[in-house]
Amino acid sequence: MEVQSNQIVVEKSSTTKINEVDFNNLSFGSVYTDHMLVADYRNGSWTIPKIVPYQPLTLDPASKIFHYGQSIFEGMKAYKDANGHVWLFRPRDNHARMNISAQRMTMPQIPQEYFIEGLTALLELEKDWIPTQLGSSLYVRPFMFASGTGFHASPADEYKFLIALAPSGAYFSGKVKVLIEETYARAANGGVGYAKAGGNYAAQFYPTKLAADKGYQQVVWTDDHNHEYIEEAGAMNIFVRINDTLLTAPTSDRILDGITRKSILELAADMGVKTEVRKIKVSEVVEAAKNGNLKEMFGAGTAAVVSPISGFGYQGVDYDLPELENSYAQTIKTKITDIQYNRTEDKFGWRYKVV
Ligand SMILES: *Cc1c(COP(=O)(O)O)cnc(C)c1O
């Protein structure tokens, strides 16, 4: 199963779009590099990945992705340090999680060699696309979907695995105001909330739009049963600071096991910050907001690393969070990005050198 990068076939693009890109004004994930990686799964095994010019795909209208939604993805970033070296952050964890998602959606496992070697070869080829501007990085999007055909509601027999790259600026600009959800749920017990499956996001758009109509940028998801516990913030894990304790919900069927989340838990412990992984009641957060014990709330995920929340709405009442100097959110963000961009020692062994 060992795959050397020299086995990966590279078909180079004869042109480059890099000069058309304004690297000082990048949005998030809306321009793509010159090449992508593609591998096909058929007859029970994967073809060796190919790197080809970035291009549209041709699919049969009966491809099961269109009908039954077998589609999963990962989100990662590549960083360039001051010496031009390229780094990833815990990429084996993304690979492992992609296979957890694949299993839940009855899709094939992706060999680690294909994922890591394929990604490394692609990044080496596209390293000039990795922005060096502060806060910018190359967003990496591995994904897999059912290309096999049939209107029969059963798993497809063919799949495509791709990796596309998008030079990106910061995900959110500024703090976000969130609405604690009381009607909809993003995930249920026994469901697929722990998988990075495309349909999870499709289902989030409508409640998020309703919240946006009321002036909130994101929804804080609560449990599907009674909407009694907070679980995630949009497509990010959620942290709540009550006095000097940092809380986050335990992972479960309904909560995605975020790599940023678990890194923050380790880092906070290392900083001497008290952490608690436990169910967090909405009523506890509201109470803490009322009596001044609620110091911070933030989302945690690869795209934004840490996304501070300025306030939340619940049952028609808005609660503001204080403006803190030396917030945990800011301190943690700085520490994680310093590791990601190779600006500091990495005693956790999270950094992965590409080239
Ligand atoms: C991707 C994702 C996260 C964050 O995971 P990271 O590995 O930290 O990027 C959290 N929640 C949901 C729902 C996600 O899709």
Side-chain angles (χ1 to χ4, degrees):
M1 197 63 93
E2 182 73 3
V3 176
Q4 305 296 323
S5 351
N6 60 16
Q7 272 189 265
I8 294 176
V9 182
V10 181
E11 185 194 317
K12 271 201 172 182
S13 171
S14 56
T15 57
T16 178
K17 297 168 292 188
I18 200 164
N19 298 321
E20 294 160 28
V21 177
D22 179 359
F23 280 84
N24 292 311
N25 286 295
L26 289 169
S27 59
F28 191 86
S30 51
V31 289
Y32 314 100
T33 68
D34 292 325
H35 299 89
M36 63 187 195
L37 177 134
V38 191
D40 283 290
Y41 181 89
R42 58 174 89 92
N43 303 321
S45 60
W46 286 103
T47 60
I48 292 173
K50 274 191 203 142
I51 292 174
V52 297
Y54 188 91
Q55 60 192 282
L57 302 170
T58 303
L59 291 172
D60 192 296
S63 294
K64 293 203 179 188
I65 171 62
F66 299 132
H67 308 277
Y68 304 119
Q70 278 178 294
S71 166
I72 58 172
F73 68 95
E74 273 299 322
M76 324 164 64
K77 282 175 170 178
Y79 312 87
K80 197 181 266 180
D81 70 18
N83 297 319
H85 292 298
V86 177
W87 303 89
L88 290 164
F89 187 70
R90 312 185 77 172
R92 294 184 195 88
D93 294 12
N94 292 92
H95 169 258
R97 187 171 65 192
M98 189 148 188
N99 278 343
I100 289 171
S101 300
Q103 182 180 42
R104 182 64 182 83
M105 306 306 286
T106 329
M107 298 168 81
Q109 298 285 294
I110 297 169
Q112 177 171 295
E113 292 81 5
Y114 281 21
F115 188 96
I116 300 287
E117 294 284 334
L119 178 54
T120 309
L122 182 63
L123 286 171
E124 278 192 54
L125 184 65
E126 301 288 62
K127 60 177 183 299
D128 291 348
W129 283 87
I130 304 176
T132 48
Q133 286 79 358
L134 197 68
S136 297
S137 58
L138 188 68
Y139 188 73
V140 178
R141 171 51 60 87
F143 59 107
M144 194 213 309
F145 64 86
S147 50
T149 57
F151 293 149
H152 190 271
S154 57
D157 56 0
E158 293 186 4
Y159 295 85
K160 275 186 184 295
F161 169 59
L162 287 94
I163 304 178
L165 308 173
S168 295
Y171 194 68
F172 284 116
S173 34
K175 289 196 169 187
V176 299
K177 209 173 122 189
V178 297
L179 181 66
I180 297 184
E181 184 59 58
E182 294 174 68
T183 307
Y184 297 95
R186 75 168 281 283
N189 285 327
V192 299
Y194 68 93
K196 266 185 124 65
N200 282 341
Y201 304 83
Q204 285 185 211
F205 294 157
Y206 181 60
T208 305
K209 177 194 170 303
L210 296 180
D213 291 345
K214 294 185 199 157
Y216 301 93
Q217 282 99 49
Q218 273 302 337
V219 168
V220 168
W221 301 106
T222 48
D223 65 280
D224 58 306
H225 194 53
N226 291 324
H227 303 284
E228 198 182 345
Y229 297 97
I230 65 166
E231 303 209 317
E232 295 213 54
M236 290 184 283
N237 294 114
I238 192 163
F239 282 85
V240 176
R241 173 180 170 187
I242 295 183
N243 293 317
D244 287 337
T245 303
L246 201 51
L247 310 174
T248 192
T251 54
S252 69
D253 280 3
R254 303 189 305 269
I255 296 184
L256 195 117
D257 187 2
I259 294 162
T260 315
R261 172 188 174 279
K262 68 181 180 187
S263 303
I264 290 176
L265 285 171
E266 274 190 69
L267 199 64
D270 185 66
M271 286 160 57
V273 168
K274 189 170 173 235
T275 59
E276 283 179 22
V277 177
R278 62 166 173 82
K279 293 169 93 177
I280 305 163
K281 277 200 161 163
V282 176
S283 59
E284 175 183 3
V285 176
V286 170
E287 199 49 44
K290 283 182 183 158
N291 64 26
N293 294 337
L294 182 66
K295 307 294 185 200
E296 296 179 52
M297 288 171 75
F298 54 88
T302 294
V305 186
V306 158
S307 177
I309 291 169
S310 61
F312 67 88
Y314 182 63
Q315 295 187 334
V317 182
D318 278 341
Y319 300 85
D320 288 328
L321 272 81
E323 282 283 343
L324 292 188
E325 290 192 16
N326 304 318
S327 64
Y328 286 177
Q330 190 51 54
T331 307
I332 286 167
K333 181 167 184 168
T334 303
K335 282 184 185 276
I336 290 189
T337 51
D338 281 351
I339 292 174
Q340 290 170 332
Y341 286 86
N342 190 27
R343 290 190 290 248
T344 185
E345 137 198 52
D346 171 22
K347 65 176 170 187
F348 305 99
W350 289 337
R351 224 165 23 219
Y352 180 95
K353 192 172 187 182
V354 176
V355 60

